[in-house]
Each structure stands twice: as C-alpha cells, then as structure tokens.
C-alpha cells in the first residue's frame, strides 16, 4: 500500500507523540506501508519547521531525523504538471495531488480540513482521508 502524508501530518507526528499522526508515522517506520514523498515535500517540511511558532517547539535534531528517515521512502524527484481540469483548491497543495497521481498512491492523508483536499475525496486511485480515518 502506497501512502502520502501531507506535511501537516508529518509535523503533527513531531509535535506530539500521541495521536493519529504519530501512530501513522510509527506504522511507516515499522514497514506497514510504503511512504511516498517528493523533493518538493521535503523542502516544504524543512521550510515549515522553521516557522517561528514551530521552531519554538520542534528541536532541530528531531526535524533532521525525520527528514533523514523520509529520504528512505519512495522519493519522487520530479512531479508532473496536473492535467487540465485537475486543480487544487489551495495551489500550495497541487504537489500532493501530483504525487498521488505520479505514484499511484492508495491514500493521501491530510489533517487540513479547510484546504479542499478532503472535500475532493479522491484523486486517481488515492482516497483522501484524515489521520484518524486512516488509522481506523
């Protein structure tokens, strides 16, 4: 099973050792599914972890460890453009949709209820779900 974790899920796993995001991250580390990421997402994770409110609560070594770990996942170095008619409600999420299509992912897990990904429901064969639903 191929799974994409939105950057907010990865950050959630770093913020708290309790809850669905951390359980999902641990499940991947236990090889219970294949994680799909991209150089675009790794860059976003680095950038987002430096935001003042996150930098204050996330030790740099924990972020670095996660980045090193996810570089062992399926890393897409280039992403195709989205086909005509496929748009992300939030343009910053377009890369997640491209990742799902390019990797033939089964799930895209996001914690962002307002960006429009969940309302889409699916992209290609990937079901778009919140962390709690994925864990269930």
């Amino acid at each position: 099973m191929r799974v994409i974790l939105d950057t907010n899920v990865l950050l959630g796993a770093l913020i708290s050792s309790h809850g669905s995001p951390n359980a999902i991250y641990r499940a991947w580390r236990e090889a219970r599914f294949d994680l799909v990421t991209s150089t675009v997402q790794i860059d976003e994770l680095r950038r987002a972890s430096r935001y003042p409110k996150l930098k204050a609560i996330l030790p740099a070594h924990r972020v670095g460890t996660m980045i090193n770990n996810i570089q062992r996942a399926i890393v897409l170095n280039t992403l195709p453009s989205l086909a005509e008619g496929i748009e992300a409600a939030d343009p910053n999420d377009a890369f997640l949709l491209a990742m799902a299509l390019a990797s033939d992912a089964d799930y895209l897990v996001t914690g962002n209820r307002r960006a429009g990904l969940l309302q889409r429901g699916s992209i290609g064969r990937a079901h778009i779900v919140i962390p709690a639903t994925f864990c269930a």
Side-chain angles (χ1 to χ4, degrees):
M1 172 173 55
R2 288 184 172 201
V3 179
I4 297 166
L5 302 178
D6 193 341
T7 308
N8 60 55
V9 175
L10 293 169
L11 289 168
L14 286 171
I15 291 168
S16 174
S17 60
H18 306 289
S20 299
N22 189 263
I24 295 167
Y25 181 69
R26 283 194 331 263
W28 168 66
R29 299 275 293 135
E30 295 166 0
R32 295 179 57 197
F33 61 86
D34 293 323
L35 179 65
V36 177
T37 188
S38 67
T39 54
V40 173
Q41 184 175 39
I42 293 168
D43 289 344
E44 181 182 62
L45 181 59
R46 281 188 183 109
R47 189 174 53 256
S49 69
R50 293 183 192 126
Y51 294 160
K53 68 179 182 178
L54 293 177
K55 191 174 182 179
I57 60 172
L58 294 178
H61 73 277
R62 289 190 57 220
V63 175
T65 298
M66 177 179 274
I67 289 170
N68 288 339
N69 286 337
I70 65 172
Q71 288 180 12
R72 292 186 210 118
I74 299 168
V75 179
L76 305 174
N77 291 313
T78 58
L79 295 175
S81 299
L82 292 175
E84 191 171 324
I86 299 177
E87 295 180 10
D90 179 348
N92 293 324
D93 288 336
F95 80 93
L96 293 167
L97 299 178
M99 284 170 50
L101 292 171
S103 67
D104 205 24
D106 298 290
Y107 287 93
L108 191 168
V109 183
T110 182
N112 192 340
R113 296 176 185 264
R114 290 175 277 173
L117 290 175
L118 288 170
Q119 291 76 9
R120 174 181 281 282
S122 65
I123 180 81
R125 65 180 271 176
H127 301 284
I128 303 173
V129 298
I130 60 172
T133 301
F134 182 75
C135 285

